[in-house]
Amino acid sequence: MAFLYASVGHGGASGYLAVLAIFSVAPAVMKQTALLLNLGVSLMSFIAFYRQGFFRWRLFWPFALASIPAAFVGARIPLSDSTYKQILGFCLFIAVLRMISILRETASKPLPLWAGLSAGGAIGLLSGMIGIGGGIILSPILLLFRWASLKEAAAVSALFIFVNSVSGLAGLKTWIPLDQSSLVYWLIASLIGGFLGARWGAGIASNTKVKWILALVLVIASVKLWFV
């Protein structure tokens, strides 16, 4: 998951949540774990795309300015297990559409300040509520409105995910003790996958077949969250 998501400028939270949902992990543990794994992967992805010259500060700061406090607030909003699973299932479907969509390069247009602040606040609030960085929502928005190219969107989304994940973790009301031995393995695996995926994605086009496989996993998790 880390390899695949880092290759497109994401931290992988929706992927981690999908796997955890398949194995019926408690929602509170899912949120906390996904945000932790998000940190290292999104940072490595950002560095890789930044070094290739794709990061645009003017695209990043309006979204981040509103999203950081909103993610903190969102993390403190209590959700029932059923509501959490339904919202997460919907967001995983968005991730599926992001993975299987074929997006062409188009000329970029200037980002209106009001649009960046409004979208950033909404994405940050939702991200904090369910434990994701928000990249699966931000990337399609940047591309849909032609505010960024594919790899510019990846670079901006990667740093956006990192700061939202930090804010979301800071906003958690309670910290649930995790299985340290399992967490260490997850962290190591995600960091290795994230490093390799970020280097691959920043310089090489994405693999369509791999995206379809990932999309299938997300569909299974979404269905499980909604109906099981």
Side-chain angles (χ1 to χ4, degrees):
M1 287 295 180
F3 179 92
L4 295 171
Y5 275 82
S7 70
V8 292
H10 291 179
S14 59
Y16 312 140
L17 290 170
V19 173
L20 293 172
I22 290 173
F23 290 98
S24 301
V25 175
V29 176
M30 289 169 60
K31 178 189 294 189
Q32 187 173 300
T33 302
L35 288 173
L36 282 171
L37 297 179
N38 242 11
L39 294 177
V41 176
S42 61
L43 183 59
M44 285 188 292
S45 184
F46 166 69
I47 292 172
F49 282 95
Y50 178 84
R51 286 178 174 175
Q52 293 292 327
F54 294 114
F55 181 69
R56 299 289 181 266
W57 173 256
R58 61 179 175 78
L59 288 175
F60 170 76
W61 76 262
F63 291 105
L65 183 64
S67 72
I68 293 174
F72 181 88
V73 172
R76 304 184 70 82
I77 297 176
L79 296 175
S80 66
D81 286 0
S82 60
T83 301
Y84 173 83
K85 289 180 178 180
Q86 289 175 356
I87 295 175
L88 175 57
F90 173 75
C91 289
L92 292 183
F93 273 121
I94 294 178
V96 171
L97 295 177
R98 171 70 179 91
M99 287 294 168
I100 66 176
S101 61
I102 301 175
L103 299 165
R104 297 180 179 179
E105 294 281 357
T106 56
S108 296
K109 297 193 297 187
L111 169 67
L113 179 59
W114 66 268
L117 293 173
S118 300
I123 296 171
L125 185 66
L126 181 61
S127 300
M129 290 170 62
I130 63 175
I132 61 173
I136 60 171
I137 305 173
L138 178 61
S139 291
I141 289 176
L142 289 172
L143 296 169
L144 177 64
F145 291 100
R146 295 189 293 171
W147 291 330
S149 67
L150 289 170
K151 293 196 175 182
E152 287 174 347
V156 171
S157 294
L159 187 57
F160 181 82
I161 290 166
F162 178 80
V163 297
N164 277 340
S165 296
V166 171
S167 182
L169 282 169
L172 290 176
K173 286 186 174 181
T174 57
W175 184 266
I176 300 173
L178 301 175
D179 184 340
Q180 297 299 316
S181 59
S182 297
L183 183 60
V184 169
Y185 289 124
W186 295 344
L187 286 171
I188 292 174
S190 67
L191 290 174
I192 293 174
F195 175 77
L196 296 175
R199 291 176 63 87
W200 179 65
I204 304 173
S206 300
N207 187 315
T208 303
K209 291 183 179 179
V210 174
K211 285 188 177 184
W212 276 100
I213 295 172
L214 176 57
L216 177 60
V217 173
L218 295 179
V219 168
I220 293 172
S222 299
V223 171
K224 187 176 188 303
L225 285 165
W226 273 90
F227 301 110
V228 179

